[in-house]
């Protein structure tokens, strides 16, 4: 069948078969793509990171998010061009393997899959924090540090929801899109009201001004280290490219959704962090952790605001985890389709049109990662692996443009070429230098593990449409 400017073949299994290798069903439209990108980013950037970020840098954490937005946009533009030329599952893995070779592609593909699972676990731990906070507000517990026998309530909630989201995705991608559309629409309505009221308070329109005397109380050094930490907040646009094979009209919808989602959430992040850093001192907001935005809502909107933000935080972290699990499975599906991992991950369930094995594997590993509870480390390792991919995506665009293969025919051209991809690549690699040593070590270990896997399992793989 023909969709946009590209032809696809659906391989239908023989009667009685429940699965087969073939193309994924294209069921996600522009709204669904935007909400998958936006929903992922809102969950981390607004409902999980404000306490962690403002605790490090104060109001200047808004600059950290602005830096992240600029880097994300510099990468989103080259990614949009590559995605319209190659609208396939795997996103960055697919582009890099075709532009730079099988080994770089394998490193990125395996790193992308694991990075998305780390991000999913990070979001699910944040979800557990919100669930525990709701129980505290309902006087079920007196503190969020609660347990049910030997089990931590935060981690139990996160693990259970991880299983449920995996099952939901297995039963059809349209379930994921419907969930994202409903959740993100509700979240945006909540945020517009919340940020408007609290912003007026900070400026002194509704009372005494809360504008702090010092914009960067800890100096400007923490701004870049905080930018490295919170860059996980901008992984959503790349997740859109990862599920490109599920998106209708990819020539139009891929660039619009990727660039649009970065711009939208970037503005929301900056406003949120200015308000957070102006409401509490870093020494106060830092210990509040993943649910600091709840205390900000309490300050400006009272108990009613707390209830709404708690519900919003719960839905936002569900949305982020939902999109990340879906994207990780598609990255694994892309690797399997090329023969870089066992072909079971590329098998499609005939009834639901989803890669059920890939989804089950991703969901299972994510649930195990949730049990660690190491949120900041999970977030930074995910950022490390994505920044490697982003830098190489920019390099891949330059390499493919220089070689100009006959099959390369993008519907969207990156503006400002070659400056945009060159600056985007340099910025992506440079941000890694500001991460904590443990995150860099773990990211390097994963990358070396990917090299070892390639040499052991897939060194003789030949890819189609390789430059």
């Amino acid at each position: 069948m023909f969709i946009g400017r590209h032809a696809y073949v659906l391989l239908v299994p023989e009667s009685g078969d429940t699965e087969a290798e073939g193309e994924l069903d294209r069921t996600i439209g522009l709204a669904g793509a935007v909400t998958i990108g936006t929903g992922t980013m809102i969950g981390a950037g607004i409902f999980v990171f404000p306490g962690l970020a403002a605790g490090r840098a104060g109001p200047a954490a808004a600059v950290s998010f602005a830096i992240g937005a600029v880097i994300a946009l510099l990468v989103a533009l080259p990614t949009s061009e590559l995605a319209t030329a190659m609208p396939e599952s795997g996103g960055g893995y697919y582009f890099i393997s075709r532009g730079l070779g099988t080994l770089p592609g394998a490193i990125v593909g395996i790193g992308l899959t694991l990075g998305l699972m780390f991000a999913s676990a990070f979001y699910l731990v944040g979800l557990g924090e919100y669930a525990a906070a709701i129980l505290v507000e309902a006087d079920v517990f007196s503190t969020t540090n609660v347990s049910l026998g030997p089990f931590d309530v935060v981690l139990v909630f996160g693990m259970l929801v991880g299983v449920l989201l995996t099952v939901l995705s297995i039963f059809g991608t349209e379930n994921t899109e419907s969930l994202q559309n409903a959740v993100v629409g509700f979240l945006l309505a909540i945020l517009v009201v919340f940020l408007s009221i609290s912003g007026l308070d900070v400026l002194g329109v509704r009372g005494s001004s809360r504008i702090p005397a010092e914009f960067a109380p800890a100096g400007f050094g923490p701004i870049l280290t905080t930018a490295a930490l919170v860059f996980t907040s901008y992984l959503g646009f790349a997740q859109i490219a990862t599920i490109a094979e599920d998106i209708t009209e990819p020539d139009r919808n891929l660039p619009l959704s990727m660039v649009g989602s970065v711009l939208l959430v970037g503005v929301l992040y900056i406003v949120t962090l200015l308000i957070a850093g102006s409401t509490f001192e870093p020494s106060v907001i830092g210990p509040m952790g993943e649910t600091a935005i709840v205390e900000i809502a309490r300050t400006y909107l009272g108990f009613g605001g707390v209830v709404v933000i708690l519900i919003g935080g719960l839905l936002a972290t569900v949305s982020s985890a939902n999109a990340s699990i879906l994207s990780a499975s598609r990255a694994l599906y892309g690797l399997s389709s090329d023969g870089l991992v066992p072909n079971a991950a590329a098998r499609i369930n005939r009834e639901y049109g989803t890669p059920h094995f890939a989804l089950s594997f991703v969901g299972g590993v994510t649930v195990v990662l949730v049990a660690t509870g190491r949120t900041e480390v999970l977030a930074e390792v995910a950022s490390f692996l994505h920044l490697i991919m982003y830098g190489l995506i920019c390099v891949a665009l330059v390499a493919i443009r220089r070689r100009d293969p006959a099959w390369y025919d993008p519907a969207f051209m990156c503006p400002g070429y070659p400056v945009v991809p060159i600056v985007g690549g340099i910025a992506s690699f440079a941000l890694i230098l500001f991460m904590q040593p443990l995150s860099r070590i773990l990211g390097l270990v994963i990358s070396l593990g990917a090299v070892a896997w390639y040499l052991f399992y897939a060194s003789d793989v030949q890819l189609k449409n390789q430059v």
Side-chain angles (χ1 to χ4, degrees):
M1 58 182 170
F2 289 90
I3 302 176
R5 298 162 51 254
H6 303 275
Y8 300 90
V9 178
L10 178 63
L11 301 182
V12 180
E14 303 232 352
S15 178
D17 245 349
T18 59
E19 58 183 35
E21 294 183 21
E23 300 290 347
L24 297 169
D25 290 341
R26 290 188 181 270
T27 59
I28 299 178
L30 177 59
V34 170
T35 55
I36 283 173
T38 302
T40 305
M41 295 189 274
I42 286 178
I46 293 179
F47 289 94
V48 177
F49 269 133
L52 302 175
R56 288 187 177 193
V63 178
S64 301
F65 275 92
I67 291 171
V70 171
I71 295 175
L73 192 59
L74 288 172
V75 178
L77 291 169
T79 305
S80 295
E81 175 176 330
L82 292 167
T84 60
M86 296 173 275
E88 306 287 341
S89 286
Y93 152 72
Y94 196 92
F95 311 149
I96 292 164
S97 63
R98 270 55 183 180
L100 301 179
T102 311
L103 177 57
I107 295 171
V108 166
I110 294 171
L112 172 61
T113 303
L114 291 174
L116 286 168
M117 289 191 283
F118 287 147
S120 301
F122 168 66
Y123 302 141
L124 288 170
V125 171
L127 178 148
E129 295 279 1
Y130 273 93
I134 289 174
L135 294 176
V136 170
E137 292 295 330
D139 290 329
V140 176
F141 297 110
S142 59
T143 172
T144 55
N145 186 23
V146 294
S147 61
L148 295 171
F151 303 107
D152 185 308
V153 166
V154 168
L155 302 185
V156 168
F157 270 110
M159 293 167 72
L160 287 175
V161 174
V163 172
L164 290 174
L165 291 176
T166 302
V167 172
L168 182 70
S169 293
I170 289 173
F171 286 145
T173 305
E174 64 275 8
N175 294 326
T176 301
E177 180 183 12
S178 298
L179 177 63
Q180 289 296 107
N181 289 345
V183 169
V184 173
F186 182 69
L187 288 175
L188 290 176
I190 289 176
L191 290 172
V192 168
V193 174
F194 168 64
L195 295 177
S196 297
I197 294 174
S198 55
L200 291 174
D201 272 6
V202 168
L203 295 173
V205 175
R206 286 169 27 105
S208 300
S209 172
R210 290 178 177 266
I211 297 176
E214 290 186 279
F215 180 70
F220 290 95
I223 291 177
L224 288 174
T225 58
T226 302
L229 168 66
V230 304
F231 196 75
T232 307
S233 301
Y234 288 101
L235 303 189
F237 82 86
Q239 293 188 21
I240 297 171
T242 304
I243 62 168
E245 201 168 334
D246 294 270
I247 295 175
T248 63
E249 298 183 66
D251 291 349
R252 168 181 174 269
N253 293 338
L254 284 168
L256 283 176
S257 57
M258 280 191 276
V259 175
S261 60
V262 170
L263 293 174
L264 174 61
V265 300
V267 172
L268 291 174
Y269 288 163
I270 292 168
V271 173
T272 300
L273 266 295
L274 286 172
I275 292 170
S278 300
T279 304
F280 297 110
E281 295 290 330
S283 60
V284 175
I285 197 172
M288 293 178 184
E290 288 86 349
T291 56
I293 197 74
V294 175
E295 298 308 315
I296 298 170
R298 193 189 307 275
T299 300
Y300 297 111
L301 301 174
F303 180 73
V306 168
V307 172
V308 173
I309 290 298
L310 281 172
I311 295 172
L314 196 67
L315 292 175
T317 48
V318 167
S319 172
S320 294
N322 183 46
S324 297
I325 289 172
L326 175 68
S327 298
S329 71
R330 295 319 191 256
L332 184 60
Y333 169 86
L335 284 166
S336 181
S337 297
D338 283 338
L340 297 180
V341 298
N343 61 11
R347 297 192 70 81
I348 305 299
N349 184 280
R350 183 181 66 170
E351 183 175 357
Y352 303 115
T354 58
H356 53 287
F357 178 88
L359 279 163
S360 300
F361 178 82
V362 166
V365 173
T366 298
V367 168
V368 172
L369 290 171
V370 170
T372 69
R374 296 295 302 273
T375 55
E376 288 197 40
V377 173
L378 290 173
E380 277 206 357
V381 173
S383 291
F384 176 98
L385 296 170
H386 276 76
L387 284 165
I388 292 292
M389 179 183 74
Y390 291 167
L392 291 177
I393 283 175
C394 294
V395 174
L397 175 61
V398 174
I400 292 174
R401 282 269 204 117
R402 287 174 62 87
R403 294 168 186 170
D404 193 24
W407 53 262
Y408 188 70
D409 184 24
F412 172 87
M413 303 296 288
C414 175
Y417 178 89
V419 174
V420 167
I422 290 174
V423 175
I426 292 173
S428 297
F429 293 133
L431 197 57
I432 293 173
L433 301 177
F434 297 94
M435 291 182 170
Q436 57 180 308
L438 177 60
S439 300
R440 293 201 300 266
I441 291 171
L442 289 174
L444 183 60
V445 168
I446 290 171
S447 299
L448 292 175
V451 172
W453 173 265
Y454 170 80
L455 295 175
F456 170 76
Y457 184 84
S459 59
D460 59 344
V461 171
Q462 297 293 321
L463 303 178
K464 63 179 181 179
N465 289 345
Q466 194 167 358
V467 174

